Amino acid sequence: QQQVKQSPQSLIVQKGGISIINCAYENTAFDYFPWYQQFPGKGPALLIAIRPDVSEKKEGRFTISFNKSAKQFSLHIMDSQPGDSATYFCAASENTPLVFGKGTRLSVIA
Amino acid sequence: GAGVSQSPSNKVTEKGKDVELRCDPISGHTALYWYRQRLGQGLEFLIYFQGNSAPDKSGLPSDRFSAERTGESVSTLTIQRTQQEDSAVYLCASSLGRGDYGYTFGSGTRLTVV
């Protein structure tokens, strides 16, 4: 049973464009929704996170949008740069070990 | 240490052999997690240690998998009688404790079973 569904699997974006990655969840008890960024050969690193009491959180070029009624959340990367090329994972938790999506491989091309 | 350290970084083993993977968490982090990352499959939870509490073993895929942790420091993940489907990257993460989701991951151990 996949508790967090992530799409798309891969994404190619032009430099300067907006990258959008989506996740959907089923467990309404989830109360923490982070996004992790992973470069080849490295472990995932926490990028940004949100709790369900807010609908949006922004940190620099990265924004999480959260839709509680639809049980969906998304990551927006504004002004995408080649250095943003990595694999991105959404995750969710209800005071339990994080449950991760399957990941999105983002390629930002010049 | 400054980060989570895992060893070895790469391990090639023959089918049927036992392997031990090691994780050194960040000092002061009471929570430690093991995840498995198969190609294209995301991160699969294996086991969670929190202080001196009994570990959450709910993610271990079979009885060939086991893990131990010494107090709030080093952890070892042991896979007995390895199979080709065990080939994956095994990631360890630590955090300040239950409810702290700012996991810090190590770079992982890439296990290849031939």
Side-chain angles (χ1 to χ4, degrees), chain A residues 7-8 11 13 16-23 35 37 47-48 50 55-67 72-81 84 88 90 106 108:
Chain A
S7 62
L11 182 62
V13 173
I18 302 173
S19 303
I20 302 174
I21 305 171
N22 301 297
C23 278
W35 285 90
Q37 179 189 55
L47 190 61
I48 187 172
I50 198 168
S55 60
E56 185 175 281
K57 182 174 182 180
K58 184 176 180 179
E59 290 184 1
R61 296 185 294 109
F62 301 91
T63 299
I64 298 180
S65 296
F66 184 80
N67 186 328
Q72 295 176 347
F73 59 110
S74 60
L75 175 69
H76 295 235
I77 305 173
M78 311 300 288
D79 187 27
S80 299
Q81 298 297 312
D84 298 329
Y88 293 81
C90 62
L106 172 65
V108 181

Side-chain angles (χ1 to χ4, degrees), chain B:
Chain B
V4 176
S5 178
Q6 291 189 244
S7 61
S9 54
N10 282 284
K11 176 72 176 179
V12 179
T13 189
E14 292 181 353
K15 178 181 173 182
K17 300 283 190 182
D18 298 352
V19 294
E20 269 192 8
L21 313 180
R22 177 187 169 103
C23 173
D24 280 281
I26 292 174
S27 178
H29 279 194
T30 62
L32 186 147
Y33 310 82
W34 283 98
Y35 283 82
R36 178 168 69 179
Q37 185 173 24
R38 288 170 161 164
L39 192 63
Q41 294 300 310
L43 280 72
E44 176 187 7
F45 167 70
L46 296 177
I47 188 168
Y48 159 51
F49 296 90
Q50 171 57 58
N52 294 318
S53 301
D56 175 357
K57 303 180 181 181
S58 60
L60 294 178
S62 77
D63 59 8
R64 296 187 296 105
F65 288 73
S66 63
E68 293 184 347
R69 187 181 186 192
T70 308
E72 294 184 352
S73 61
V74 172
S75 176
T76 55
L77 176 68
T78 301
I79 309 173
Q80 296 179 309
R81 305 181 302 281
T82 52
Q83 304 295 313
Q84 287 188 330
E85 62 262 28
D86 299 333
S87 296
V89 175
Y90 290 83
L91 290 162
C92 174
S94 69
S95 72
L96 285 171
R98 190 177 184 88
D100 171 39
Y101 301 112
Y103 294 10
T104 300
F105 280 88
S107 293
T109 294
R110 179 176 298 277
L111 175 66
T112 304
V113 182
V114 298

